[in-house]
Amino acid sequence: MPITMPTAVIEGTQLTVMPFRTDAVIGTMSVATLVQLVPSPRREEDTKTLKAASGAMRRHAELRALVQRALKSTQKGRNVGSYAEYIADGVNGELGAGWSTPPVTFWHAGPLAALSDELLPGTGLRTLTIAPGTSVVAIDGETQTAAWHELYDDPERFGLTYTELAQVRVPFELYVDLSVADARQIFYDRNVQGVAVAKNLAMSMDQRDFATRLAHRVAEAVKVDIDGRLVPFTKFVNATKRQVGKADPEVVTLSALRALVITSIYGKGGLSRSAETVHEDELPEGTTPEQVERSVVPLLSGLIARNAGHFLSRTALTSPAVLAGLGIAAHHTTPWADPSHAMSTDALDQLLADIRWEREARYWDGVAAKAGTSGRLNFSGGVKDSGGRVADALLYPATEPGRRIRGR
């Protein structure tokens, strides 16, 4: 008699998800599941590895190439190692709660093997099954995907164990059974439609950046008199914009204050660091983070307090380039400044006493700003472009720009 075949059992990887549209779901998965579902992008670009790979992996590599850019010999590829280190630091608890990785966006190239009914009525939660050999491609978040592979391949190199990685959940969104054209469009929309954050502004948000922390402390240390009432200067610092608008209650950006801090620490050398993270182990030789903070915070908070009127009036003093130049001048009063150019805070105040801070072309055109055909000044020149000229004008009154900004 013929043998009866067993009832078909759907095999594959099961994920608990919640749909947010008819062809897409969100959820979390383990690191082990991620590296099993999505091959390493680096391996798929290795010709020798791919030549010896399974047919499923070669097909996946071909599909990936249709919707993704290359890792090899690109900045994207070079970022994989640092991304893996960042994730490892977060998993190890070294970054506290202040770290995050965005959900990875996956494309499931064909129909699902199975999708359950709601696990609990009214919740939307379901279980989906991805059949073995199905191509799942990261169309956004591929650098993160490659970083997870680095961590899982050799966790010890990053100070982790497989036990620690097993406790991690990776958030994801999964688009199901889309065409190649639609997957490409999602790649485009995610990578092009969004407005990139200016690097200086991004730096001003980095609380692990030493200069950002000091900029916050400087602002917190200043109180300004408003109609007989002392108001924290932090009320006048905008931490979310690259430039302060006329209608904004704030008068200066946090990124501009950060430029002031950096040039106060490094002098003119700080101009090239304005868009870079300042690490505590990169401070001037012979200094400690505590010493730098003890010197810079009272120095700059005192400068701001004594010139509060110029800040609140939105004069040239609030522009990033002018603040960077002021920081270079203030650097000469720090204990670690070159002794041949050292000065006292009183001497610095004397140099600043007769500066014409008004936003007028006769003072600042060609120094920190450019005048248009209408005569209107544009202070949008960067810290690197104008900070050095401003510093020279502040420090050397006898020079042409020095005389000009003093109205002589």
Side-chain angles (χ1 to χ4, degrees):
M1 58 180 288
I3 300 174
T4 303
M5 297 297 292
T7 303
V9 176
I10 299 174
E11 298 179 342
T13 302
Q14 291 191 336
L15 299 172
T16 301
V17 298
M18 177 177 287
F20 63 91
R21 57 187 233 191
T22 57
D23 54 7
V25 299
I26 57 173
T28 66
M29 66 175 69
S30 67
V31 181
T33 299
L34 186 152
V35 299
Q36 175 191 3
L37 281 178
V38 187
S40 165
R42 277 187 163 168
R43 291 198 188 97
E44 289 194 337
E45 291 185 4
D46 186 307
T47 306
K48 291 183 179 179
T49 299
L50 200 59
K51 189 174 182 179
S54 66
M57 185 172 178
R58 291 197 299 273
R59 289 191 296 274
H60 186 281
E62 292 171 0
L63 196 63
R64 171 189 172 270
L66 296 176
V67 297
Q68 262 296 352
R69 50 186 168 162
L71 278 174
K72 191 174 183 179
S73 301
T74 66
Q75 185 59 49
K76 177 184 173 182
R78 288 188 286 272
N79 284 344
V80 172
S82 59
Y83 205 154
E85 291 172 358
Y86 169 75
I87 294 172
D89 288 344
V91 174
N92 277 327
E94 295 178 15
L95 306 180
W99 74 286
S100 173
T101 57
V104 183
T105 301
F106 293 121
W107 168 41
H108 185 288
L112 295 169
L115 180 66
S116 75
D117 294 329
E118 282 187 309
L119 301 179
L120 185 64
T123 65
L125 291 174
R126 301 166 182 266
T127 298
L128 64 75
T129 304
I130 298 174
T134 300
S135 290
V136 177
V137 179
I139 51 177
D140 191 48
E142 190 180 58
T143 306
Q144 183 188 158
T145 300
W148 283 118
H149 273 277
E150 295 279 307
L151 290 166
Y152 202 78
D153 285 347
D154 189 4
E156 291 81 7
R157 180 161 67 95
F158 297 93
L160 292 173
T161 64
Y162 284 110
T163 300
E164 290 171 317
L165 284 177
Q167 298 171 9
V168 175
R169 302 295 298 180
V170 181
F172 69 90
E173 55 180 340
L174 178 69
Y175 290 82
V176 179
D177 201 18
L178 300 186
S179 67
V180 171
D182 286 337
R184 282 176 173 165
Q185 190 64 50
I186 292 173
F187 172 89
Y188 173 87
D189 291 348
R190 292 297 178 87
N191 288 279
V192 178
Q193 294 283 41
V195 178
V197 178
K199 195 166 185 180
N200 280 353
L201 175 59
M203 286 288 105
S204 73
M205 297 291 186
D206 185 2
Q207 300 308 298
R208 284 186 291 276
D209 174 70
F210 184 72
T212 297
R213 296 203 306 271
L214 255 58
H216 280 291
R217 294 197 174 105
V218 167
E220 291 163 359
V222 180
K223 301 291 188 294
V224 294
D225 189 316
I226 306 294
D227 299 327
R229 183 169 57 96
L230 290 180
V231 178
F233 189 67
T234 51
K235 296 284 187 182
F236 305 100
V237 179
N238 191 308
T240 61
K241 286 186 175 181
R242 185 170 177 267
Q243 293 181 331
V244 174
K246 290 182 179 179
D248 291 330
E250 300 89 0
V251 299
V252 68
T253 64
L254 183 64
S255 61
L257 281 187
R258 183 178 178 275
L260 171 66
V261 167
I262 291 176
T263 52
S264 297
I265 295 172
Y266 296 102
K268 278 193 175 180
L271 295 175
S272 62
R273 293 174 174 264
S274 61
E276 298 177 358
T277 300
V278 175
H279 300 285
E280 293 185 359
D281 59 359
E282 297 174 345
L283 295 175
E285 187 176 356
T287 67
T288 64
E290 294 75 20
Q291 178 191 11
V292 171
E293 182 173 348
R294 284 196 303 267
S295 297
V296 168
V297 172
L299 167 65
L300 299 184
S301 61
L303 271 175
I304 293 172
R306 292 191 295 276
N307 293 277
H310 298 305
F311 277 94
L312 298 181
S313 299
R314 299 173 182 260
T315 66
L317 186 54
T318 60
S319 73
V322 174
L323 283 175
L326 178 60
I328 293 171
H331 170 76
H332 295 301
T333 71
T334 63
W336 56 88
D338 183 347
S340 63
H341 297 97
M343 69 170 71
S344 66
T345 53
D346 287 342
L348 177 61
D349 284 340
Q350 290 175 10
L351 284 172
L352 302 178
D354 57 352
I355 301 295
R356 303 301 301 263
W357 297 111
E358 300 96 323
R359 288 179 176 251
E360 296 183 16
R362 54 180 167 163
Y363 305 131
W364 295 102
D365 183 26
V367 180
K370 292 182 180 179
T373 54
S374 65
R376 184 176 180 274
L377 274 183
N378 184 349
F379 280 85
S380 62
V383 166
K384 295 179 183 179
D385 296 332
S386 306
R389 289 197 301 272
V390 172
D392 290 341
L394 295 176
L395 289 167
Y396 307 112
T399 62
E400 189 279 328
R403 292 193 302 270
R404 187 191 315 173
I405 65 172
R406 291 168 173 84
R408 297 171 187 166

